[in-house]
Amino acid sequence: MRKKEGYSRVGAFGTVNHYDAKGKKIGESRPSLFGGTTNYDAKGHKVGYSTPNLTGGLTHHDSHGHRTGRSDPGVISDFNHYDAKGHKTGHSDRGLFGDMNHYKKK
């Protein structure tokens, strides 16, 4: 059985709140222009941003603009996650109530 590493839940005004496996809030993503998101840690400090890519997923960047990875739609799971070198790091599946459950690759 896979171990859930955390989950994300839609918040107010289009935000997405991110939680660890124990339910502690670890960050938030807020909508930005052109379909992307700006990502913040639990204290509200900007830690990066994500922009749409050609595969229908997102390309992730740190707060300095360096590419840190991407998330692409999957066939079996809802999203597959990759690091900056293209190695798979995990996946996310949609939960029963619309949440996204996150799993890391073992």
Side-chain angles (χ1 to χ4, degrees):
M1 177 99 179
R2 303 173 300 201
K3 181 180 176 187
K4 184 166 80 168
E5 295 290 329
Y7 62 96
S8 298
R9 179 175 289 156
V10 176
F13 306 108
T15 63
V16 177
N17 296 313
H18 307 290
Y19 302 90
D20 65 12
K22 294 181 180 180
K24 180 182 176 190
K25 185 175 178 180
I26 58 172
E28 178 179 304
S29 297
R30 300 176 191 160
S32 62
L33 296 175
F34 310 113
T37 60
T38 304
N39 307 314
Y40 299 88
D41 64 13
K43 295 182 179 180
H45 300 114
K46 182 178 175 181
V47 295
Y49 62 94
S50 301
T51 56
N53 62 29
L54 296 174
T55 63
L58 295 168
T59 301
H60 309 293
H61 305 270
D62 64 16
S63 59
H64 302 290
H66 301 110
R67 184 173 170 250
T68 58
R70 73 178 199 275
S71 298
D72 293 329
V75 177
I76 297 173
S77 62
D78 286 311
F79 277 95
N80 292 314
H81 307 291
Y82 302 91
D83 63 15
K85 295 182 180 181
H87 300 112
K88 186 173 181 180
T89 59
H91 69 276
S92 296
D93 292 332
R94 195 159 303 279
L96 186 61
F97 300 106
D99 298 344
M100 291 296 287
N101 296 317
H102 308 296
Y103 303 91
K104 288 194 180 197
K105 183 177 179 185
K106 292 185 180 186

